[in-house]
Amino acid sequence: NSKLRHVEKDVLIPQIMRDRAKERCSDKVQAFTKCCQETGFLMVVKCREENTALKDCLVGYYSDPSFYEECKAEYLKQREEYRATGIKKNRQKFTSNV
């Protein structure tokens, strides 16, 4: 059964998308994090370029229908495994130093 509930479409799959997009944009995440650490309170002004690059990278993935389908397929696979075994698999989460 591949029907999706509201919470799956609006919360669970987007969470996978955010995690995977951050992984794929990790170079931009690191550049923005480094800039923020080096500039402190002036990061709003000094890190605009890094922030824009990061946002552009993330939004590119969020708006890509094939990326959504890839993440949806991953979610459905995890859901199927859970229903078969009753064991919830912990997803690897991308962690940022921000």
Side-chain angles (χ1 to χ4, degrees):
N1 183 4
S2 63
K3 282 207 165 221
L4 294 171
R5 295 175 297 146
H6 169 71
V7 71
E8 293 172 316
K9 283 192 277 191
D10 296 343
V11 177
L12 300 175
I13 293 171
Q15 181 61 51
I16 291 173
M17 292 177 73
R18 281 190 297 276
D19 291 346
R20 291 184 121 208
K22 284 180 185 175
E23 289 170 6
R24 294 181 180 189
C25 298
S26 66
D27 57 331
K28 298 187 179 43
V29 170
Q30 288 173 358
F32 179 66
T33 300
K34 183 179 180 205
C35 181
C36 290
Q37 289 170 340
E38 290 174 354
T39 57
F41 291 113
L42 296 174
M43 68 182 163
V44 175
V45 176
K46 300 242 179 192
C47 301
R48 264 193 206 133
E49 190 176 313
E50 291 83 353
N51 189 28
T52 300
L54 175 56
K55 281 183 182 176
D56 290 348
C57 184
L58 294 173
V59 169
Y61 282 111
Y62 298 156
S63 59
D64 180 355
S66 63
F67 183 67
Y68 174 83
E69 290 302 321
E70 179 185 319
C71 294
K72 176 179 158 186
E74 179 183 325
Y75 172 77
L76 290 172
K77 182 180 173 205
Q78 290 174 6
R79 185 178 77 172
E80 184 180 328
E81 288 173 8
Y82 174 73
R83 288 179 176 177
T85 64
I87 300 169
K88 187 173 182 177
K89 180 182 173 196
N90 289 331
R91 279 192 337 225
Q92 280 187 318
K93 280 192 105 177
F94 177 84
T95 55
S96 174
N97 293 333
V98 178

